[in-house]
């Protein structure tokens, strides 16, 4: 009745989704969307003063653009909400226990507990790398 429409666009890269304008852009499973897709979505909201970008996802690896957004709590331009599977009344806790047994603890925590984890094969975890950065070190150029 209000002339609204929903357009579903592929999320595999920015080249196929350009040219739209939108009051709201929803990126489902955002942790698995390439940064180029996000960069192509942002201009869709340029001429809409109250437009919103909503990123919905289960967690993924503790790296990448979405993980950076999630962990930068000092950036108040994003509203962050976390809802685990245990907080969803539609999901049976007994079923979740079965999922934990079948998937293993690591995959379960990522998929159902909204935890961004380091890849199992990572030599150094994200926390170790973040703590290794020192902004006070002066770069010496030859």
């Amino acid at each position: 009745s209000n002339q609204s429409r929903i357009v579903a666009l592929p999320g595999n890269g920015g080249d196929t989704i350009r040219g739209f304008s939108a009051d709201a852009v929803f990126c489902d499973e955002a942790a698995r969307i390439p940064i180029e897709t996000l960069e192509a979505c942002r201009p869709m909201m340029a001429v809409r003063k109250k437009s919103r970008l909503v990123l919905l996802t289960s967690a993924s690896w503790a790296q990448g653009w979405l993980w950076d957004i999630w962990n930068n709590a000092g950036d108040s331009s994003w509203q962050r909400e976390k809802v685990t599977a245990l907080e969803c009344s539609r999901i049976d806790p007994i079923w979740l226990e079965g999922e934990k047994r079948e998937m293993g603890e690591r995959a379960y925590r990522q998929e159902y507990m909204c935890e961004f984890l380091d890849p199992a094969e990572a030599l150094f975890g994200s926390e170790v790398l973040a703590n290794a950065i020192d902004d006070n070190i002066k770069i010496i150029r030859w």
Side-chain angles (χ1 to χ4, degrees), residues 13-89:
D15 292 341
T16 58
I17 63 173
R18 297 186 177 276
F20 287 89
S21 62
D23 292 316
V25 175
F26 292 84
C27 297
D28 192 24
E29 288 302 338
R32 288 145 181 87
I33 294 174
I35 186 65
E36 294 81 12
T37 301
L38 178 70
E39 291 167 346
C41 287
R42 297 187 71 87
M44 294 178 186
M45 303 177 299
V47 297
R48 309 289 177 114
K49 291 184 191 231
K50 294 185 179 183
S51 62
R52 297 181 69 182
L53 176 62
V54 180
L55 307 173
L56 309 158
T57 196
S58 48
S60 185
W61 302 121
Q63 61 190 20
W65 66 268
L66 186 67
W67 182 75
D68 291 340
I69 290 171
W70 182 256
N71 281 302
N72 190 0
D75 179 359
S76 62
S77 64
W78 291 97
Q79 176 181 333
R80 295 159 184 82
E81 301 291 338
K82 177 179 176 179
V83 180
T84 69
L86 293 174
E87 297 170 284
C88 179
S89 62

Side-chain angles (χ1 to χ4, degrees), residues 13 53 73 80 89 91 112-113 115 142:
L53 176 62
R80 295 159 184 82
S89 62
I91 301 176
Y112 295 110
M113 297 295 103
E115 294 183 32
W142 300 94

Side-chain angles (χ1 to χ4, degrees), residues 4 33 50 57 59 91 98 101 103 106 108-110 122 126 132:
S4 294
I33 294 174
K50 294 185 179 183
T57 196
I91 301 176
R101 279 192 310 278
M103 298 175 79
R106 188 173 184 75
Y108 174 83
R109 286 173 47 205
Q110 217 170 14
S126 57

